[in-house]
Amino acid sequence: MKIKRSALSFITALAMLFTGCAKTDAPSAADSTGSSASANESTSPESGNNGGESADTVTETTPEDDMTLSEKTFAANEENVKLIGRTAEYEGIRWLGLSASGVEFTFNGTSASFTLVGDSMYSNAEKQARFAVYINGERTIDELVDAAEKTVEVFSADEATETTVKLLKLSEAQESTMGIKSINVTSVGGLTPTAEKDLKIEFVGDSITCGYGVDDPDRDHHFKTPTEDATKAYAFKTAMALDADYSLVSYSGNGIISGYTDNGTKQTSQLVPDVYDKVGKSWGNWNEFNIQDVDWDFSKFQPDYVVINLGTNDASYTGSDKERVLEYADGYTEFLKVVREKNPDAHIVCALGVMGATLYKNGVERAVAQYTEQTGDTNVSTLLLTQQDGNANGYAADWHPTEASQDVAATEMTEYLKSLIG
């Protein structure tokens, strides 16, 4: 449970008034312990897990083993929740950026809510962060972060019940981020992080991985976060089918040597390799904080498999130009070296094809061959995915895959990974 520091100061003042004495003591346990950062800790983000406390930050004072049914407030940190995907902590707030990142925990109680914080994009209806809440595996809330701060009630029961709560960010990092300021429960005891899975997969990709436009069945409509849902895309579906923990590192319009271009001009501001070692990147900020300022600590999630699905946007730049295609292959080769350095034991799968396979043979396959020749590393393979069939499954916004087309890719990826797992 947490109480505001101002309340603690008031109590101290009363004590000095009645005793007639005043002295300066070292910080009490209420000030220096608990899951929120104390006032003397740095506010600069460090490797996705840091301290810092603003004037309104609350400090935990009641032990988590309090076995009375009472109101309690917890920080969204590793002590209390399972962190899903890449996240960062800044000034006591847990920041979610990347697609399908989130938190999950169990508790025994009668109510639960999240106090959420919006970034600088919260007032833009087409860029607000979209999130979902799941209670015991069932999606019960699907909302947008449309305020600078708001509290969302997610669970209520007449009697204390053992309940699993999961919050996932459905939209991608590039457009906006969201923060979890606190988790508020009426419970017996505290929060318990859910268990880790035996299998871990990282997916590196673009709009296909993000679930771009999947909730908009009109191909002539354009992007907005309310129609994006990463849980309906092949990567998330593959992880669920394999009962795996996952991390999605994906940005719409991004590539390896060029982002999407409609005029053949190279777009170097949208490159996944440039931000692969960051918690994420976003056009949204909170005060002076941006998730791109935080280096990702790769020790926090060492996957068994890394799936790279990049090249669709590069193809808008390369076309069939041989020199540009070779540039893509060379850039991909160098990116593979970075991925291997950060994930030394993972099998790397290089996939392409859902929205076209222009760069598969002379790009992806060439890159993998070059990488193996240069490094001797054979723990890498390629996978050609079936191109979406708009006649059978339709198209989502901007000609992107519908959920039905994503299901096809998920089935192919699941079966391929099963063949590797053995």
Side-chain angles (χ1 to χ4, degrees):
M1 187 188 299
K2 299 179 179 178
I3 60 175
K4 287 193 180 282
R5 193 176 294 277
S6 57
L8 185 61
S9 300
F10 177 70
I11 295 169
T12 303
L14 283 178
M16 290 191 293
L17 177 63
F18 287 114
T19 60
C21 64
K23 62 180 180 178
T24 302
D25 293 325
S28 66
D31 290 326
S32 59
T33 63
S35 58
S36 286
S38 61
N40 64 348
E41 289 179 316
S42 169
T43 61
S44 61
E46 295 180 5
S47 301
N49 187 13
N50 68 292
E53 181 176 291
S54 65
D56 293 331
T57 301
V58 289
T59 305
E60 234 172 74
T61 58
T62 299
E64 294 182 11
D65 58 1
D66 176 6
M67 300 309 291
T68 62
L69 182 63
S70 57
E71 295 182 357
K72 305 176 179 71
T73 301
F74 296 95
N77 59 26
E78 290 175 300
E79 294 179 9
N80 301 319
V81 302
K82 177 182 181 178
L83 300 176
I84 302 172
R86 298 184 181 187
T87 70
E89 185 178 277
Y90 181 73
E91 292 194 358
I93 299 172
R94 176 63 53 183
W95 286 96
L96 312 179
L98 289 163
S99 303
S101 59
V103 300
E104 187 177 41
F105 62 89
T106 61
F107 81 111
N108 184 19
T110 58
S111 70
S113 67
F114 290 94
T115 298
L116 304 176
V117 176
D119 67 8
S120 58
M121 295 296 179
Y122 78 83
S123 60
N124 186 329
E126 294 189 352
K127 293 183 178 296
Q128 294 164 343
R130 183 183 177 188
F131 69 94
V133 175
Y134 301 77
I135 302 296
N136 297 325
E138 179 183 353
R139 184 185 290 195
T140 56
I141 291 176
D142 184 342
E143 289 190 15
L144 298 166
V145 181
D146 55 4
E149 182 175 318
K150 70 177 185 178
T151 297
V152 180
E153 305 291 334
V154 301
F155 174 76
S156 179
D158 294 332
E159 298 182 357
T161 305
E162 191 74 22
T163 304
T164 300
V165 180
K166 177 167 63 177
L167 183 150
L168 294 180
K169 185 172 181 288
L170 303 180
S171 57
E172 64 183 277
Q174 190 165 242
E175 304 298 324
S176 55
T177 60
M178 60 180 288
I180 302 175
K181 185 175 183 180
S182 64
I183 302 170
N184 322 298
V185 296
T186 302
S187 68
V188 178
L191 311 182
T192 302
T194 53
E196 291 188 4
K197 308 283 190 180
D198 292 333
L199 182 64
K200 293 179 171 60
I201 311 172
E202 177 180 81
F203 295 88
V204 183
D206 50 31
S207 56
I208 300 168
T209 305
C210 294
Y212 179 117
V214 70
D215 283 338
D216 186 345
D218 191 330
R219 67 190 186 188
D220 295 323
H221 286 175
H222 301 305
F223 178 86
K224 54 185 177 180
T225 54
T227 66
E228 186 173 51
D229 187 346
T231 69
K232 296 179 181 180
Y234 85 95
F236 182 89
K237 288 173 175 284
T238 297
M240 295 303 98
L242 295 172
D243 192 27
D245 280 336
Y246 64 85
S247 177
L248 272 55
V249 184
S250 53
Y251 308 94
S252 292
N254 280 237
I256 288 180
I257 63 167
S258 177
Y260 175 77
T261 175
D262 59 5
N263 59 13
T265 301
K266 183 189 288 188
Q267 298 295 326
T268 58
S269 63
Q270 291 186 299
L271 305 182
V272 174
D274 287 352
V275 293
Y276 180 66
D277 61 349
K278 302 295 183 180
V279 167
K281 69 171 178 177
S282 181
W283 292 314
N285 299 287
W286 185 75
N287 296 336
E288 300 299 319
F289 174 70
N290 188 289
I291 57 173
Q292 192 168 334
D293 298 332
V294 188
D295 293 332
W296 173 240
D297 181 355
F298 284 86
S299 69
K300 291 183 178 296
F301 189 86
Q302 277 293 298
D304 300 291
Y305 297 89
V306 175
V307 176
I308 303 173
N309 187 354
L310 289 169
T312 302
N313 294 301
D314 296 277
S316 69
Y317 163 70
T318 65
S320 58
D321 184 282
K322 291 183 179 180
E323 289 187 3
R324 293 184 177 188
V325 172
L326 289 175
E327 180 187 358
Y328 167 78
D330 291 342
Y332 204 132
T333 299
E334 294 307 308
F335 183 48
L336 283 172
K337 294 175 183 178
V338 174
V339 174
R340 170 58 72 221
E341 176 191 355
K342 303 300 184 182
N343 308 280
D345 299 321
H347 180 91
I348 304 172
V349 178
C350 302
L352 194 66
V354 176
M355 293 184 71
T358 301
L359 288 174
Y360 184 74
K361 183 176 180 58
N362 293 320
V364 175
E365 288 190 330
R366 180 188 293 272
V368 170
Q370 288 180 167
Y371 169 75
T372 298
E373 181 180 357
Q374 293 174 17
T375 66
D377 182 2
T378 59
N379 197 20
V380 57
S381 60
T382 60
L383 175 64
L384 178 62
L385 296 168
T386 299
Q387 185 167 338
Q388 62 179 339
D389 184 347
N391 292 327
N393 298 322
Y395 293 102
D398 284 325
W399 299 79
H400 277 71
T402 60
E403 186 172 8
S405 292
Q406 294 276 10
D407 283 337
V408 173
T411 297
E412 293 177 349
M413 183 61 69
T414 299
E415 292 306 311
Y416 183 70
L417 291 176
K418 282 183 178 179
S419 73
L420 296 176
I421 294 168

